[in-house]
């Protein structure tokens, strides 16, 4: 057992079904010189990106910077990810410890957005044992005291508003939270009502989570499509996924795909597992 999930009797792993359809051609949907999700991933004919107001989580996700085209996914220790499941890699560090896995990457993106907006009081995540870890308390210099399965705050350091301290807070969250706790925090949403920033999540052991980082809609039919990003286990670069079930549409996924499943390269979700912050 690693330190990551001390409150569970068994390790929560981001392991699931691996579909052997990796390395698909993303068709004509990659603009190699694009530096963000919105400028790198092109749209199918007759589709327009769904508007996201400036300052919203959706607008933030769409503008996330990307590493150069054809970049590989690296693990936290510098090794290359063996499975080719992505079309782009976010230019966001993964850290040097095996912490920023699947649910952690979702929490990282949400927290980074709130931090960039100065919404420090809104940055909080629950640990697996139910303890609410508020960044505002951490920012004031409080730190965690863990005795068995009980957690409490105690004053230890001077207040710190710096980014390095914020990242230390996130490492703490990664250590004691995961798919099980995040799933309980998020609100269920109907799949047909998907929006930018929504999360497909299955909490448990094993469990996994991916986040909707862009959406578009067909001007004629109304069909909605979306992009998914993930980290995985071990901790690795956050990357935008291929669509293993539709090579012509990949990396886009259609909201209107028949059936109850959403099949991603390394995990199968159900449409009932869509959640929202």
């Amino acid at each position: 057992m690693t330190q990551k999930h001390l409150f569970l009797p068994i390790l929560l792993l981001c392991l699931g079904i691996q579909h052997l359809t990796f390395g698909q051609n993303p068709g004509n949907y990659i603009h190699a010189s694009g530096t963000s999700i919105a400028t790198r991933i092109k749209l199918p004919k007759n589709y327009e990106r769904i508007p996201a107001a400036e300052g919203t989580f959706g607008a933030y996700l769409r503008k996330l910077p990307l590493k150069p085209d054809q970049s590989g996914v690296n693990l936290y220790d510098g090794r290359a990810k063996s499975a080719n499941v992505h079309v782009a890699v976010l230019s966001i560090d993964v850290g040097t410890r095996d912490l920023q896995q699947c649910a952690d990457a979702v929490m990282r993106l949400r927290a980074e957005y709130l931090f960039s907006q100065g919404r420090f009081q809104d940055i909080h995540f629950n640990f697996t044992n139910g303890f609410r870890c508020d960044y505002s308390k951490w920012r004031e210099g409080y730190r965690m005291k863990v005795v068995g399965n009980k957690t409490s705050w105690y004053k230890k350091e001077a207040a710190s508003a710096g980014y390095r301290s914020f990242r230390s807070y996130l490492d703490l969250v990664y250590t004691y939270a995961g798919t099980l706790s995040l799933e309980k925090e998020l609100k269920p949403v109907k799949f047909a009502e998907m929006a930018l920033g929504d999360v497909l999540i299955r909490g448990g052991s094993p469990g996994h989570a991916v986040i909707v980082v862009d959406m578009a809609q067909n001007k004629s039919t109304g069909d909605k499509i979306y992009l998914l990003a993930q980290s995985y286990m071990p901790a690795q670069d956050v990357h935008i996924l291929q669509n293993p079930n539709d090579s012509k549409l990949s990396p886009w996924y259609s909201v209107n795909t028949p059936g109850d499943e959403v099949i991603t390269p390394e995990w199968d979700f159900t449409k009932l597992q869509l959640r929202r912050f």
Side-chain angles (χ1 to χ4, degrees):
M1 179 181 295
T2 68
Q3 187 183 14
K4 181 170 176 57
H5 298 288
L6 295 178
F7 301 119
L8 293 180
I10 52 178
L11 176 66
L12 293 179
L13 301 178
C14 283
L15 293 176
I17 301 170
Q18 289 202 359
H19 297 279
L20 303 179
T21 50
F22 303 144
Q24 294 183 14
N25 187 341
N28 298 316
Y29 303 136
I30 301 299
H31 191 277
S33 63
T35 58
S36 67
I37 291 176
T39 59
R40 176 76 57 82
I41 313 297
K42 296 190 291 186
L43 296 170
K45 186 178 180 180
N46 295 324
Y47 281 81
E48 293 181 343
R49 281 185 159 85
I50 294 174
E54 192 67 29
T56 62
F57 188 35
Y60 172 83
L61 292 171
R62 186 172 277 161
K63 294 177 182 178
L64 286 171
L66 300 176
K67 292 184 178 182
D69 188 41
Q70 302 297 318
S71 293
V73 174
N74 290 327
L75 309 184
Y76 71 97
D77 58 6
R79 289 178 296 146
K81 180 182 175 81
S82 58
N84 177 19
V85 303
H86 70 286
V87 296
V89 181
L90 271 60
S91 185
I92 297 174
D93 73 279
V94 67
T96 58
R97 301 164 62 191
D98 189 10
L99 290 176
Q100 191 174 289
Q101 299 177 7
C102 53
D104 312 301
V106 172
M107 293 185 286
R108 169 81 183 274
L109 294 177
R110 180 64 179 178
E112 289 276 6
Y113 160 68
L114 294 171
F115 189 89
S116 73
Q117 295 289 306
R119 294 170 54 184
F120 307 123
Q121 295 287 337
D122 294 332
I123 303 174
H124 55 79
F125 300 99
N126 293 341
F127 291 169
T128 304
N129 70 346
F131 181 83
R132 173 167 156 155
C133 185
D134 289 272
Y135 171 62
S136 58
K137 292 286 289 185
W138 180 276
R139 190 178 171 90
E140 294 170 0
Y142 287 87
R143 295 298 181 262
M144 309 304 306
K145 181 178 181 180
V146 180
V147 179
N149 201 39
K150 295 183 179 179
T151 310
S152 59
W153 292 107
Y154 72 99
K155 179 70 172 179
K156 181 182 180 182
E157 301 179 8
S160 175
Y163 184 75
R164 181 177 296 182
S165 177
F166 168 68
R167 286 299 313 278
S168 295
Y169 161 81
L170 287 178
D171 282 346
L172 177 73
V173 170
Y174 302 158
T175 301
Y176 293 114
T179 55
L180 190 63
S181 57
L182 183 60
E183 181 186 47
K184 292 178 181 178
E185 280 192 69
L186 302 180
K187 300 176 181 179
V189 60
K190 294 180 180 179
F191 199 78
E193 298 173 2
M194 176 189 289
L196 267 161
D198 286 351
V199 180
L200 280 166
I201 185 168
R202 194 271 192 186
S205 179
H208 191 41
V210 297
I211 184 169
V212 178
V213 292
D214 204 355
M215 291 191 71
Q217 188 168 22
N218 188 297
K219 296 179 290 184
S220 300
T221 66
D223 179 53
K224 294 180 180 179
I225 56 177
Y226 57 98
L227 296 176
L228 295 173
Q230 71 164 23
S231 179
Y232 203 59
M233 198 188 93
Q236 56 197 250
D237 290 327
V238 183
H239 47 282
I240 298 175
L241 292 169
Q242 300 173 17
N243 179 348
N245 232 27
D246 191 338
S247 59
K248 293 183 178 180
L249 188 61
S250 182
W252 295 97
Y253 290 72
S254 174
V255 172
N256 295 331
T257 298
D260 298 324
E261 287 189 313
V262 179
I263 298 173
T264 72
E266 295 177 297
W267 193 272
D268 292 354
F269 297 94
T270 74
K271 292 181 177 179
L272 294 176
Q273 291 171 333
L274 190 66
R275 300 287 187 272
R276 182 170 296 167
F277 280 101

